[in-house]
Amino acid sequence: MLNFYPGPSKVYPEVRQFLTDAYDGGIMNIPHRSETFMQLMRATVNSLKKKLNIPQDYYIFFTSSATECWEIIAQSFTLSQSFHLYNGSFGQKWFEYAQKICSESQAHEFPLEEHIDTNNLEIPDDAEVVCITQNETSNGTQINANTILNLYNKCKDQLLAVDATSSMAGLNLKYIKADIWFASVQKCFGLPPGMAVMVCSPRALYRAKKLDEKNHYNSVVLLYEKMLNYQTSYTPNTLNLYLMNRVLEQRELIKTIDQQLVQRAQNLYEFFEPFTQFRPLVTNPEVRSNTVIALQGHHKLVEDIKKNAAAHNIQLGNGYGKWARDTFRIANFPANTDVEFETLKDFFTKNYN
């Protein structure tokens, strides 16, 4: 079955052989304090920085999920409150989760079809972290690099944290324009779920050290102290670290991948524009996601499209949140091939054009 589900999404086919190699090489049971593990961690960190164009002075940590990163940010970077900007379900969930730890946290919801109005935005003086979702998986929108830069420049003493779950390893993100970036690996990385990457600027780490929060196994200061020796503060997902390193070795640089995905996204939006029974959920091209395409129609039609696609061995993504019933989503991730998208287009042309 062709998998266009936006997470967990298609895994690179090479992973099958890498799994066998991991088993045969004893990777699955190496001690995480051993020299072998530290060499693997060092290689993986170096590959991430090289292939994703992450600044050399930024710090990389590994967690279990993007949701855990929400928790880490609330615990290790926030004393009293964070400020959340969102237009969809995952940004809202991040805010609601942060409130459970820092009850004074505040939020601003901006319109689906618009950029964040950074000129007129008022960031609470007491907020220590400003939180945004770069690619909102629930509705197929994204925040562009210029808006992120404007937000970063507007932050005074606040850190800027970015949920890049549906874009990291797919788009050429400008890491220097924010302090904290994170993403789970079951999307653009093309890996099995169960691990996430957190990228922190020197400024973010300085803040964490200043707060010196060490009450949790995933406290940033503890993660940092262990990473000095390429270790972790807990038993890590060694298998996924190994798979990530192997996948990154055979991937192109992020600039090339970005160009391919952006061009393919534009082609997909152009392909779907003439259809009359359904249309892109987001009509403003400037805020449309390049990695998650959301399409909207009558809920009965949407259900029919998903069932018909499954009968043709094509898995489409369900709608999410307030758009659950009347939308379906298509992942435009690096592991999906151009040939697969031609099959997808052929399905829609024959059945709904």
Side-chain angles (χ1 to χ4, degrees):
M1 180 170 284
L2 301 184
N3 184 4
F4 294 100
Y5 208 89
S9 56
K10 181 185 176 182
V11 173
Y12 279 106
E14 295 86 349
V15 168
R16 180 176 184 177
Q17 181 59 52
F18 297 159
L19 286 167
T20 301
D21 295 343
Y23 182 85
D24 292 342
I27 294 297
M28 297 183 185
N29 55 3
I30 60 173
H32 61 285
R33 303 298 181 214
S34 67
E35 181 61 32
T36 302
F37 175 83
M38 289 186 284
Q39 289 176 357
L40 170 61
M41 177 69 88
R42 183 184 295 108
T44 305
V45 169
N46 290 340
S47 291
L48 277 167
K49 289 187 174 182
K50 176 183 178 182
K51 292 300 180 75
L52 302 191
N53 198 25
I54 298 172
Q56 288 299 313
D57 61 344
Y58 275 46
Y59 301 87
I60 293 178
F61 308 111
F62 296 95
T63 71
S64 65
S65 66
T67 304
E68 186 186 5
C69 293
W70 296 349
E71 183 175 85
I72 292 172
I73 291 168
Q75 291 170 172
S76 292
F77 296 105
T78 313
L79 269 178
S80 62
Q81 65 174 276
S82 49
F83 181 56
H84 299 252
L85 301 164
Y86 67 84
N87 69 354
S89 298
F90 288 99
Q92 182 177 0
K93 284 187 174 184
W94 184 3
F95 165 57
E96 291 170 351
Y97 194 97
Q99 274 193 313
K100 295 177 181 179
I101 300 174
C102 302
S103 60
E104 297 179 16
S105 294
Q106 301 181 50
H108 169 72
E109 183 175 3
F110 59 96
L112 180 72
E113 299 281 354
E114 298 178 13
H115 297 287
I116 297 172
D117 184 3
T118 54
N119 291 330
N120 297 311
L121 179 70
E122 294 186 9
I123 299 174
D125 291 335
D126 293 336
E128 291 134 341
V129 185
V130 176
C131 304
I132 60 173
T133 303
Q134 190 278 327
N135 213 291
E136 179 52 70
T137 317
S138 67
N139 57 32
T141 59
Q142 68 179 14
I143 300 174
N144 64 31
N146 286 335
T147 301
I148 294 175
L149 176 60
N150 291 337
L151 275 173
Y152 185 63
N153 290 336
K154 197 175 185 70
C155 292
K156 299 173 184 176
D157 294 326
Q158 296 95 348
L159 299 176
L160 180 58
V162 184
D163 185 335
T165 294
S166 288
S167 54
M168 186 183 290
L171 301 182
N172 187 18
L173 303 171
K174 308 302 181 184
Y175 293 95
I176 199 170
K177 296 180 179 180
D179 297 291
I180 305 165
W181 301 78
F182 59 90
S184 298
V185 301
Q186 70 270 16
K187 299 195 179 194
C188 287
F189 280 97
L191 294 170
M195 192 173 76
V197 179
M198 175 177 269
V199 181
C200 295
S201 71
R203 191 168 80 126
L205 190 63
Y206 174 80
R207 171 72 60 80
K209 288 181 177 179
K210 188 176 180 180
L211 296 181
D212 200 30
E213 187 274 311
K214 296 181 179 179
N215 297 327
H216 307 86
Y217 83 97
N218 58 10
S219 298
V220 167
V221 173
L222 298 180
L223 296 178
Y224 164 73
E225 290 173 352
K226 288 297 183 182
M227 187 57 83
L228 290 174
N229 293 317
Y230 293 98
Q231 295 181 6
T232 59
S233 59
Y234 56 91
T235 305
N237 189 338
T238 305
L239 176 59
N240 235 340
L241 281 169
Y242 173 81
L243 295 177
M244 174 177 283
N245 188 48
R246 293 293 303 274
V247 165
L248 287 171
E249 286 177 345
Q250 53 95 43
R251 291 192 62 188
E252 298 174 291
L253 295 175
I254 194 63
K255 285 186 178 181
T256 301
I257 294 172
D258 177 285
Q259 292 171 356
Q260 294 169 348
L261 289 192
V262 170
Q263 183 60 57
R264 195 162 66 187
Q266 292 175 352
N267 292 339
L268 285 168
Y269 284 119
E270 290 173 3
F271 171 77
F272 284 117
E273 284 294 347
F275 285 77
T276 58
Q277 299 183 67
F278 57 88
R279 61 177 178 79
L281 171 64
V282 182
T283 60
N284 181 1
E286 294 184 0
V287 298
R288 283 175 175 168
S289 169
N290 287 314
T291 55
V292 179
I293 287 82
L295 298 161
Q296 184 178 47
H298 190 275
H299 66 89
K300 290 184 178 179
L301 173 65
V302 168
E303 196 61 32
D304 174 77
I305 290 173
K306 291 187 294 183
K307 289 181 179 179
N308 194 12
H312 287 79
N313 291 318
I314 297 172
Q315 184 178 21
L316 301 174
N318 296 324
Y320 198 93
K322 67 175 71 174
W323 304 277
R325 295 191 68 200
D326 63 351
T327 64
F328 62 95
R329 297 171 297 158
I330 298 171
N332 179 30
F333 295 158
N336 298 108
T337 66
D338 290 341
V339 173
E340 291 172 344
F341 277 101
E342 289 305 313
T343 301
L344 180 71
K345 290 179 181 179
D346 186 61
F347 163 76
F348 279 104
T349 299
K350 290 180 178 178
N351 292 277
Y352 298 98
N353 199 356

